[in-house]
Every structure is written in structure tokens, then in C-alpha cells.
């Protein structure tokens, strides 16, 4: 560890039990680079050594958050470009990269390094990508607070601290993903129309209007409506309606004694068999099996 007024960095111990958690944190730190100062401020271990003129390759992921000033970034997948305060840089293992502050402004940066099978799977499913490593989320006091929490838990090294700080990393990743997704929908007209559509769907779960009819009611072309709805929610309007129908079915199964045939009728399935097939495909249980499990859980809680 090395501590100065303007920087702090820690490289963390990891046990076999920590590895089994699926994500471990390898390093946390920050450095505040005044205008005209050399970068980086301190010398780091060989595997993390960084020279702005040459760049580096890591064996882990890192989230580097620039909260003040500006500078430059380049990687194997992206050409050199300017970055400003409010940019989160996501570094990938095995990917050459280079970044440094503008000498005229300096910058403040926080970072955390991490790795693990859980993260590899999220990246494989392209929640984030090497082609888009710069996430312009704005300066968030909440996210800065999470980095400060990482440093605090890392400095104390109490039993189980790896599980705690790795969960904070997931919180940061989730916050970044949320902000990035919603920044892409700065057009409030689109968001308002999607929210109106979702409200109409919720009001008519048992006998929903078709997605085409909802689009027409909102004065939208169906193709545009379907494309924007899926882009925003991750599912098509029809799939969203099925999700609402499933939630309503689970509510009726757990909170009423209605026969399953009546629930199927209420939700406008053609017959009980169609309802059972739909429910089992989504939940892995038949409606009667789901009801029995829910009632057993309630009895156990009351005992």
C-alpha cells in the first residue's frame, strides 16, 4: 500500500473461498492529478505498471471513473479519443489500452479491479463490450460513495470483506448499466409513450388489447412502437403482456382458492391445458404444483 494526500492504492489478498464466490476484487484506489503533474503519481507493481506513452495490458477488468478534469483514451478496439469528467472507463483483460489526463486540466480518477467467472459470463452476454469501453454516465456522488466504501472495507480487511466489496462492484456495474441505458433515451416523448403503453397493459391484464391496438390508441405506427418498446424494456410488447399475465396467474394461485380452470378462463386461455403448458414453460412447475409450494411455504412461516 502507498498513501499520499492525492493518491491511495491497495492490492488485495484473495483466498480459495473468495474465488468460489464467482467474483473477486484485486485492487482499489484513487488518484487526483493536478494540472501539469506527472501521471501516474506513484509506482505500481510490475503487473499493473502503467506508462502513458506505451499503455498496458491487464489480466483483469477495471472500472476507472473520471470525476474531474479531462484527458484521452485509446484501446485495441477504439482509436484515441478525448474523455471528460463523468466518464466511466471499462478495461477488459487481455485488451491493450492507454489513458492519461490532459496536462492543462489534470483529472481525478477512482478505480477498482476485479475478475471472476460471474463477470466473464456477463461480458459474454454483451451487457458491456470492448467496442464501447467508455460509458458517459455523468458525475454521480452515489457512485463516488461506493468507491469510497470499497476503499474503507479493503483497508479494514475483516473476515468476508471480499464478498462485501465484490458485491459493491456489482452495484457499481448495475448503476453504470442503468444510467447508460437511460441516457440513450433522453427523448422524453419515447419514454412517455412506452410508459403509457405499459399502464394500458397493466389495466387490462386479463383481456389485453393487442399490441397493434395499443400502438393505434397512442397514435403510433406499430413497427416503430414495437422496436422502441423492445429497445427500452428488453422485450417485445407481446412478451411484456405475457409477463403481466404470468404475474397475475401467480397472484391468483397464491391469494385465492379459485380452481385452476377458472383462473385459466379469467386469463382468457383457450383451456386449462394451454394455461398449464404456458405456466410450466415459464416457471418450471404446473399451476397446481406452484400453488402447493406456495401454501407449504406459508405454513412453514406460520409454524
Amino acid at each position: 500500500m502507498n498513501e499520499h494526500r492525492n493518491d491511495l492504492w491497495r492490492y488485495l489478498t484473495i483466498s480459495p473461498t473468495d474465488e468460489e464466490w464467482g467474483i473477486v476484487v484485486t485492487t482499489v484506489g484513487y488518484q487526483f492529478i493536478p494540472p501539469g503533474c506527472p501521471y501516474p503519481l506513484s509506482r505500481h507493481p510490475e503487473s499493473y505498471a502503467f506508462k502513458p506513452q506505451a499503455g498496458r495490458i491487464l489480466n483483469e477488468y477495471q472500472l476507472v471513473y473520471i470525476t474531474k478534469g479531462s484527458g484521452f483514451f485509446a484501446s485495441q478496439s477504439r482509436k484515441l479519443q478525448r474523455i471528460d469528467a463523468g466518464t466511466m472507463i471499462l478495461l477488459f483483460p487481455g485488451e491493450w489500452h492507454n489513458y492519461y489526463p490532459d496536462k492543462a486540466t489534470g483529472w481525478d480518477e477512482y478505480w477498482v479491479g476485479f475478475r471472476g467467472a460471474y463477470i466473464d459470463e456477463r461480458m459474454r452476454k454483451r451487457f458491456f463490450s470492448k467496442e464501447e469501453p467508455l460509458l458517459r454516465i455523468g458525475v454521480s456522488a452515489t457512485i463516488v460513495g461506493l468507491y469510497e466504501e470499497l476503499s474503507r472495507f479493503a483497508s479494514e480487511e475483516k473476515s468476508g470483506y471480499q464478498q462485501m466489496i465484490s458485491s459493491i462492484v456489482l452495484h457499481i456495474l448495475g448503476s453504470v448499466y442503468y444510467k447508460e441505458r437511460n441516457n440513450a433515451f433522453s427523448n422524453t416523448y419515447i419514454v412517455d409513450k412506452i410508459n403509457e403503453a405499459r399502464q394500458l397493459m397493466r389495466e387490462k391484464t386479463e383481456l389485453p388489447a393487442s399490441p397493434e391496438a395499443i400502438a393505434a390508441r397512442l397514435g403510433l405506427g406499430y413497427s416503430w412502437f414495437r422496436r422502441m418498446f423492445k429497445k427500452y424494456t428488453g422485450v417485445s410488447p407481446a412478451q411484456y403482456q405475457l409477463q403481466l399475465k404470468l404475474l397475475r396467474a401467480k397472484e391468483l394461485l397464491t391469494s385465492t382458492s379459485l380452481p385452476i380452470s377458472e383462473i385459466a378462463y379469467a386469463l382468457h386461455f383457450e383451456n386449462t391445458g394451454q394455461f398449464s403448458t404456458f405456466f410450466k414453460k415459464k416457471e418450471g412447475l404446473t399451476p397446481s404444483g406452484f400453488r402447493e409450494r406456495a401454501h407449504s411455504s406459508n405454513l412453514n412461516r406460520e409454524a
Side-chain angles (χ1 to χ4, degrees):
M1 182 189 76
N2 187 24
E3 293 193 40
H4 297 292
R5 185 184 62 182
N6 284 340
D7 75 334
L8 177 149
W9 43 273
R10 300 178 187 277
Y11 298 97
L12 308 179
T13 58
I14 298 167
S15 73
T17 301
D18 297 332
E19 295 279 6
E20 292 174 358
W21 187 251
I23 170 176
V24 294
V25 179
T26 56
T27 176
V28 297
Y30 61 77
Q31 55 183 340
F32 306 145
I33 311 297
C37 281
Y39 180 81
L41 289 177
S42 304
R43 183 174 177 82
H44 295 262
E46 187 61 32
S47 60
Y48 290 91
F50 187 72
K51 298 179 180 179
Q53 63 270 31
R56 67 178 173 183
I57 297 175
L58 294 172
N59 293 319
E60 63 187 38
Y61 302 93
Q62 283 197 7
L63 280 169
V64 182
Y65 192 27
I66 308 304
T67 59
K68 182 180 178 182
S70 59
F72 302 90
F73 172 86
S75 71
Q76 186 175 327
S77 301
R78 292 299 300 264
K79 64 182 181 181
L80 183 68
Q81 53 194 294
R82 188 174 183 85
I83 54 177
D84 298 306
T87 301
M88 182 74 77
I89 306 170
L90 177 54
L91 306 175
F92 288 78
E95 173 91 346
W96 176 88
H97 60 267
N98 193 6
Y99 58 90
Y100 50 91
D102 187 326
K103 287 189 175 182
T105 65
W107 72 18
D108 291 359
E109 73 174 68
Y110 295 82
W111 76 82
V112 58
F114 51 99
R115 57 177 170 79
Y118 181 89
I119 295 298
D120 291 339
E121 182 66 9
R122 303 287 79 71
M123 300 305 172
R124 187 183 69 79
K125 293 184 176 179
R126 296 191 64 82
F127 283 93
F128 300 96
S129 71
K130 296 176 182 179
E131 293 75 27
E132 298 294 337
L134 301 180
L135 306 161
R136 293 179 170 86
I137 61 171
V139 177
S140 166
T142 299
I143 292 179
V144 170
L146 291 172
Y147 275 96
E148 291 172 347
E149 284 284 276
L150 286 171
S151 293
R152 181 172 68 82
F153 281 109
S155 67
E156 294 172 352
E157 288 192 275
K158 292 183 177 180
S159 180
Y161 87 101
Q162 269 286 348
Q163 285 67 31
M164 175 61 79
I165 62 178
S166 62
S167 298
I168 294 174
V169 169
L170 293 178
H171 188 168
I172 294 173
L173 275 171
S175 298
V176 170
Y177 183 78
Y178 175 85
K179 288 176 177 291
E180 180 75 1
R181 289 275 298 175
N182 283 276
N183 285 346
F185 286 91
S186 56
N187 187 327
T188 57
Y189 173 81
I190 295 173
V191 177
D192 288 346
K193 287 298 182 183
I194 291 171
N195 286 335
E196 283 184 58
R198 290 194 290 190
Q199 184 58 37
L200 290 172
M201 292 174 185
R202 292 188 193 102
E203 291 171 357
K204 299 288 184 180
T205 303
E206 286 84 358
L207 185 58
S210 69
E212 292 86 353
I214 291 172
R217 180 170 173 178
L218 296 175
L220 305 172
Y222 176 66
S223 294
W224 183 90
F225 167 66
R226 185 184 187 283
R227 184 174 70 254
M228 299 310 296
F229 191 98
K230 186 171 184 179
K231 185 176 181 181
Y232 187 76
T233 66
V235 295
S236 69
Q239 289 172 323
Y240 187 81
Q241 288 178 309
L242 286 175
Q243 289 180 357
L244 292 177
K245 187 172 283 194
L246 177 65
L247 291 174
R248 180 59 175 156
K250 291 163 75 172
E251 180 185 346
L252 292 171
L253 287 166
T254 56
S255 64
T256 76
S257 57
L258 286 172
I260 290 171
S261 59
E262 288 190 27
I263 294 175
Y265 177 79
L267 294 174
H268 291 269
F269 286 92
E270 291 182 7
N271 51 55
T272 304
Q274 186 191 52
F275 171 54
S276 294
T277 299
F278 162 80
F279 194 93
K280 186 172 183 180
K281 183 178 179 181
K282 297 292 185 181
E283 285 296 306
L285 286 172
T286 63
S288 59
F290 180 86
R291 172 174 270 173
E292 289 169 8
R293 187 178 69 178
H295 287 173
S296 296
S297 297
N298 289 337
L299 290 173
N300 290 335
R301 282 197 295 270
E302 292 169 2

